[in-house]
Amino acid sequence: MRNKSSFAERYPDLLAEQDEPALRQLVSDLETLYTSDPLPAHLKRSLESGRPIVLEQQPREPVQPLPGTLGQHIPRSYIRWSRLNTLAGALVAALLVGILIGTFSLLSFTRASHPNNGSIQRVLASPCVSSATPKLGVSFLQMSDASTGWASGTGSNGGNSQNELLHTDDGGCHWKIVTPQGFGPLTAVIQHISGQLFWGITGSDAENKAFFARTTDGGQNWRFAPVQTAGGHLTSAQIFQGSVFASFWSATEGQLLTVSYNSSTGHVANLALFHTSDGGLNWSQVVVDSATLPTHGAYYNGINFLNQTTGWLTATLDASAPGLFITHDAGRTWSQQSLPEPLRSVVSLKQLIVLPPHFFSTQEGVLTASSWAWPGIITYITHDAGATWQSTAFLRIPASPARPGFIIDIALPAPVPQFTGADFGWFWTGPLYEPANTLLITHNEGQNWTALSIPFAKDYHCSTADFISAHTGWLTCNQSGTHASAPSRLFQTSDGGKSWQPIEYTVA
């Protein structure tokens, strides 16, 4: 065996293209092991200890992302080899070397097949079979589970723009137009309550009146009720003139907030809160103590209820604290809730725009705040049903340097993160921010964020990202250089955004 040629000499075609130091070291040690009469010194074990031979390459310590910064994922890798002192061990070694060579070859092929070069052909194959180009593009996607979900279908029909409500029950392969017949699009206020339950406000095509609309079977059948106030039946135009926010904490129970502003002063002219117990078809007004909510220098931007009694209103204030208000009596009285100062931050509380909290359970939830002074976000965490909040570090998301004239909207200065649970959250930056066209994810309630480059981001302008778990998500994109009315592309991931496959969907 001493005169036997080495693996590298006998199998040059297998090792010629391998550039893995760990593999080459392992092959060298194994070659030395079974071609030498005496056991090499660096492989000898102590006879007194009785311990088996162990070859171990220590794993590199991963670089931990700093709080409030973007982290780069460095996978752990290690090779552990155990007792080799017999002919059987040598044969097993030779066999495993072959397996490892094949594995490294496969990994090298995978890397070559999926480079981060923006080529859509490099993405995994589509799980859907369709050769027809959809007339409508899927956008503003919101999935309830791996099969069912809702989206907005946009496109042109004979030169006219088209905006439809879409529903899928097979993961996005087939979408059905479920916009109520005789009514306009449900774009004023909408709530995807579940995969089959949907509520919204729409206008009648025959008359300029607003209606509440609700379906419980994925849009196959609808029920309607007029939007009534003390002054009579509201029109579609009146719905769009003010601010309307809805929050459902069950299939039947919810709250509705309507706010109108004085056109000359900008102050709140009217604020009303309503409650429903039939899924949003009929609403009864809640008498709110107006003295407990500000009307001057306040711009309300959301509402969310945890249950029938406890809820939050958020507003942008001309004050020194975020506009976060809490109620414990179903909205009759409100009190301003304090938040701790951001951790290790360049911003202060008075520079934050707070958005309504989102809860994963009766106790755990997150609240996102944006900064108008420095574009970026802070995530606040609660483990006691919103009684107290803990701050994470500030994460800057500056505007792209390629767009020096871009002015960030003061009402929404940074992308809004979404969460499926305390262990996973995400947001998409798009082309206006730095890093551009990047998916950012967190696995620890927003304390650290990791940036994932999307392989086709150079060829597409992506907008809506939606996840149902830390593994499964969707992304809607439009191809660069195409007309704005061209159907958008839909992509899906099952490994948390590391790889994507196009969904060749149809709309009918």
Side-chain angles (χ1 to χ4, degrees):
M1 295 180 65
R2 187 178 302 170
N3 298 324
K4 199 171 186 176
S5 59
S6 67
F7 272 97
E9 294 173 348
R10 285 182 280 124
Y11 305 110
D13 55 333
L14 293 179
L15 292 177
E17 297 182 0
Q18 300 303 320
D19 190 22
E20 303 289 346
L23 175 62
R24 289 188 173 275
Q25 181 62 45
L26 177 59
V27 172
S28 176
D29 287 344
L30 291 173
E31 183 70 21
T32 303
L33 176 66
Y34 80 82
T35 59
S36 301
D37 288 337
L39 194 64
H42 73 289
L43 298 179
K44 287 183 179 179
R45 61 186 174 91
S46 172
L47 295 177
E48 291 78 14
S49 66
R51 292 180 299 176
I53 300 171
V54 176
L55 295 184
E56 182 173 356
Q57 178 179 320
Q58 294 295 331
R60 289 193 304 171
E61 288 297 324
V63 179
Q64 296 295 335
L66 298 176
T69 63
L70 305 184
Q72 294 296 329
H73 176 68
I74 300 179
R76 291 176 175 265
S77 62
Y78 66 89
I79 301 171
R80 185 178 294 271
W81 197 260
S82 61
R83 189 173 187 175
L84 295 172
N85 58 358
T86 65
L87 178 60
L91 293 176
V92 172
L95 176 61
L96 289 180
V97 168
I99 293 174
L100 285 173
I101 292 174
T103 302
F104 275 78
S105 298
L106 178 59
L107 291 175
S108 298
F109 172 78
T110 302
R111 287 195 297 268
S113 300
H114 301 85
N116 186 17
N117 61 2
S119 175
I120 192 63
Q121 286 76 21
R122 303 294 186 179
V123 183
L124 302 177
S126 172
C128 310
V129 179
S130 175
S131 58
T133 301
K135 295 181 179 180
L136 294 178
V138 172
S139 59
F140 302 107
L141 177 77
Q142 183 166 347
M143 300 295 292
S144 297
D145 52 47
S147 300
T148 58
W150 305 85
S152 176
T154 57
S156 60
N157 184 8
N160 298 321
S161 61
Q162 196 172 356
N163 191 347
E164 305 285 357
L165 178 66
L166 305 180
H167 182 263
T168 183
D169 57 11
D170 61 3
C173 288
H174 299 89
W175 294 88
K176 183 179 180 181
I177 299 176
V178 294
T179 307
Q181 294 297 316
F183 290 83
L186 292 91
T187 55
V189 182
I190 58 176
Q191 286 283 320
H192 312 83
I193 303 173
S194 73
Q196 301 295 329
L197 250 170
F198 186 97
W199 174 90
I201 300 178
T202 185
S204 171
D205 290 344
E207 50 186 333
N208 185 23
K209 291 184 178 180
F211 290 85
F212 297 120
R214 181 174 183 261
T215 179
T216 60
D217 55 11
Q220 297 183 49
N221 298 282
W222 292 88
R223 292 183 61 192
F224 303 93
V227 179
Q228 295 283 133
T229 65
H233 194 149
L234 286 184
T235 66
S236 301
Q238 288 174 315
I239 289 294
F240 285 98
Q241 286 173 354
S243 298
V244 183
F245 309 96
S247 170
F248 287 84
W249 61 87
S250 74
T252 57
E253 301 283 331
Q255 300 278 56
L256 181 69
L257 174 69
T258 63
V259 187
S260 60
Y261 299 89
N262 187 301
S263 58
S264 59
T265 64
H267 297 321
V268 174
N270 180 269
L271 184 149
L273 185 66
F274 303 86
H275 171 259
T276 182
S277 57
D278 64 359
L281 290 178
N282 296 282
W283 300 82
S284 59
Q285 187 164 357
V286 178
V287 179
V288 180
D289 183 354
S290 58
T292 61
L293 287 173
T295 57
H296 290 208
Y299 184 84
Y300 289 87
N301 54 28
I303 181 176
N304 190 49
F305 272 70
L306 176 61
N307 50 48
Q308 189 169 1
T309 59
T310 303
W312 288 263
L313 286 176
T314 57
T316 302
L317 302 178
D318 293 337
S320 59
L324 179 65
F325 300 89
I326 187 172
T327 180
H328 294 289
D329 56 10
R332 295 176 179 84
T333 60
W334 298 82
S335 60
Q336 191 165 2
Q337 190 174 27
S338 61
L339 290 172
E341 285 284 349
L343 298 178
R344 298 178 296 278
S345 181
V346 296
V347 300
S348 64
L349 282 173
K350 64 181 179 180
Q351 298 170 323
L352 297 183
I353 299 171
V354 181
L355 300 177
H358 173 72
F359 285 87
F360 326 120
S361 67
T362 57
Q363 297 295 316
E364 294 190 332
V366 297
L367 178 152
T368 300
S370 298
S371 167
W372 54 263
W374 293 81
I377 60 168
I378 299 171
T379 302
Y380 286 90
I381 308 158
T382 183
H383 298 286
D384 54 13
T388 59
W389 298 91
Q390 295 82 47
S391 172
T392 62
F394 178 70
L395 175 64
R396 283 204 63 189
I397 314 174
S400 172
R403 297 174 177 265
F406 173 60
I407 300 176
I408 297 177
D409 185 358
I410 193 172
L412 196 64
V416 179
Q418 301 179 63
F419 289 81
T420 61
D423 59 341
F424 184 72
W426 77 94
F427 66 91
W428 177 258
T429 58
L432 301 180
Y433 297 93
E434 183 67 29
N437 298 318
T438 301
L439 179 68
L440 288 97
I441 62 173
T442 179
H443 291 280
N444 56 6
E445 301 173 319
Q447 299 183 50
N448 307 107
W449 293 89
T450 299
L452 296 179
S453 297
I454 305 301
F456 44 84
K458 292 182 180 179
D459 296 335
Y460 288 83
H461 293 304
C462 302
S463 55
T464 305
D466 187 61
F467 281 78
I468 60 170
S469 70
H471 304 287
T472 305
W474 291 260
L475 188 64
T476 60
C477 308
N478 285 93
Q479 193 158 9
S480 304
T482 59
H483 193 271
S485 62
S488 58
R489 297 299 305 272
L490 180 61
F491 299 89
Q492 184 182 33
T493 180
S494 58
D495 56 11
K498 298 175 184 177
S499 62
W500 296 82
Q501 56 188 2
I503 301 293
E504 303 298 341
Y505 64 89
T506 60
V507 178

